[in-house]
Amino acid sequence: MYILGIESSCDETGVAVVQAQVSGTPVLLGAALYSQIAMHQDFGGVVPELASRDHIQRVLPLTEQALKEAKLSLQDIDLLAFTRGPGLAGALLVGAGVASGMAMGLRIPSVGMHHLEGHLLSPFLSADPPEFPFVALLVSGGHSQLMRVDAVGQYELLGETIDDAAGEAFDKSAKLMGLGYPGGPALAALAELGNPKTFALPRPLLHSGNLDFSFAGLKTAVMVQHRKLGVQPSHAQLADLAASTQAAIVDVLVKKSMAALRQTGLSRLVVAGGVGANTSLRQHMNAACATMSARVHYPELHLCTDNGAMIAMAAALRWQAGLLPMTKPGQRHDYSFNVRPRWPLDAIDACAH
Ligand code: KG4
Ligand code: ZN
């Protein structure tokens, strides 16, 4: 079974081909990615209309590139997978429309995938894939969630952010400090040069007794500290503020993840989503998991942020689990499609088409 996956939910166009057998971990054969970061940089954030228009231009050349790397042609593909949500409506429609159109032309099935399920299952693309069950910390630009994962498709929400996502906390703090967009990697790089103990920033909901997060207050505290530094803070002061901000976010994410492991009694953790690329988060998570004799799994660094491989992989794992009825022999293919800009992961099967 060859699966072509298309991701277009936000500011990355990703296309990838995965090969799946009835059992065994599916294999990534080819992948191509285009990031729109440079285009959105001038605006300090993603401009949805520009994002959609750019996806339209990129998706077919990227498809050719991914197929070439996989040494396959479009006619070899058995299943088209696209990101159905959550994400920007116009951007999602590009991937959904192209995938459904290609599937119709090829007379093969197409399936709309959940973006967060893609992130969640992305460590299966690594050399050290996790075993079920596990706790997953999903930390991206739009989401911060702790999930209990018992099997492919069996997700229970344990806790989530009540306001900003962890990636948003990185991005908004970075913006306040004049570090540009996307702020996460920029703030992380500056933090390397600073002292994380310089500013005592809040750790919201750390002792709330539940597994929810809140990051909006942290952003305000960063703003207050930044103002106190005056109009032209030195590079060293900014580095200290960046390090202190990162430490506050990492501290909350690590402690809540450990609480989730304790609460569920599980001993495996998966950290996925763009913020999962953060070096300090990985270091602190590794150390905390070691003290609890828990194992932690991450996607490959380049597969933490959005990409097509995670969408193709999620479809492959769903197919192996028998969760894709449209791939069963004799099925009439339905090429109507829709997108779900808002779509909670624990409601994933409530509206499958
Ligand atoms: O998963 P992703 O690519 O897109 C969403 O689904 O949102 O995550 C993007 C987020 C952004 O907020 C970005 O700043 C953050 O991940 N990010 C990082 C790092 N790399 C990406 N945050 C902290 N440290 C990093 N190294
Ligand atoms: Zn994402």
Side-chain angles (χ1 to χ4, degrees):
M1 167 75 104
Y2 291 115
I3 302 169
L4 187 109
I6 300 180
E7 155 63 31
S8 70
S9 67
C10 190
D11 56 351
E12 261 105 20
T13 325
V15 183
V17 182
V18 158
Q19 181 178 21
Q21 313 282 354
V22 175
S23 62
T25 309
V27 185
L28 178 64
L29 300 181
L33 185 73
Y34 180 81
S35 170
Q36 304 175 352
I37 283 176
M39 182 178 75
H40 297 295
Q41 229 147 22
D42 289 346
F43 305 93
V46 180
V47 184
E49 181 60 24
L50 293 184
S52 321
R53 288 171 189 228
D54 204 64
H55 285 308
I56 294 173
Q57 292 186 22
R58 307 288 169 190
V59 66
L60 292 180
L62 289 171
T63 301
E64 277 170 22
Q65 204 180 317
L67 284 166
K68 194 169 168 203
E69 191 185 322
K71 299 193 172 54
L72 294 173
S73 77
L74 205 47
Q75 281 68 29
D76 296 315
I77 300 298
D78 302 297
L79 173 67
L80 253 303
F82 62 90
T83 306
R84 186 182 181 204
L88 302 169
L92 289 166
L93 279 168
V94 176
V98 167
S100 305
M102 278 203 283
M104 193 174 189
L106 295 165
R107 295 174 201 281
I108 58 172
S110 66
V111 59
M113 301 300 300
H114 197 294
H115 181 81
L116 294 182
E117 183 176 51
H119 276 304
L120 189 90
L121 300 176
S122 59
F124 285 92
L125 288 157
S126 75
D128 180 28
E131 277 172 41
F132 297 107
F134 55 79
V135 168
L137 173 71
L138 278 178
V139 270
S140 69
H143 295 85
S144 297
Q145 301 186 327
L146 277 161
M147 311 281 310
R148 181 192 165 107
V149 180
D150 283 297
V152 175
Q154 287 179 33
Y155 312 125
E156 182 196 341
L157 184 67
L158 302 172
E160 64 182 333
T161 183
I162 57 168
D163 42 51
D164 290 354
E168 232 176 325
F170 268 102
D171 292 341
K172 288 181 175 171
S173 303
K175 199 171 181 180
L176 283 169
M177 294 165 60
L179 299 180
Y181 158 87
L187 192 141
L190 186 58
E192 293 282 308
L193 311 170
N195 177 358
K197 299 211 165 84
T198 312
F199 300 97
L201 295 171
R203 268 76 169 149
L205 298 193
L206 192 55
H207 303 292
S208 62
N210 63 20
L211 297 173
D212 287 339
F213 306 95
S214 164
F215 290 109
L218 174 65
K219 173 191 63 194
T220 313
V222 171
M223 187 170 70
V224 170
Q225 290 298 343
H226 186 251
R227 282 209 185 126
K228 281 190 193 158
L229 294 179
V231 232
Q232 269 197 322
S234 70
H235 193 255
Q237 285 173 318
L238 280 181
D240 287 341
L241 186 55
S244 304
T245 306
Q246 177 172 269
I249 299 170
V250 166
D251 199 21
V252 175
L253 294 178
V254 170
K255 292 208 169 113
K256 292 272 173 168
S257 301
M258 296 308 112
L261 287 176
R262 272 194 300 274
Q263 186 179 305
T264 55
L266 298 179
S267 57
R268 263 183 298 270
L269 177 72
V270 158
V271 180
V275 181
N278 186 272
T279 310
S280 172
L281 176 66
R282 288 187 176 213
Q283 282 167 351
H284 286 86
M285 203 64 96
N286 290 346
C289 281
T291 64
M292 286 187 65
S293 304
R295 287 215 51 200
V296 52
H297 299 260
Y298 306 93
E300 305 280 337
L301 259 188
H302 68 285
L303 296 176
C304 281
T305 43
D306 295 348
N307 62 82
M310 68 184 198
I311 299 304
M313 185 57 148
L317 292 172
R318 277 203 157 241
W319 172 72
Q320 284 184 332
L323 296 174
L324 297 185
M326 68 288 281
T327 59
K328 304 233 162 84
Q331 287 292 317
R332 274 196 76 230
H333 302 321
D334 176 4
Y335 296 112
S336 63
F337 63 87
N338 58 22
V339 295
R340 302 259 310 171
R342 289 174 188 276
W343 188 9
L345 182 53
D346 53 349
I348 188 167
D349 290 318
C351 55
H353 59 214

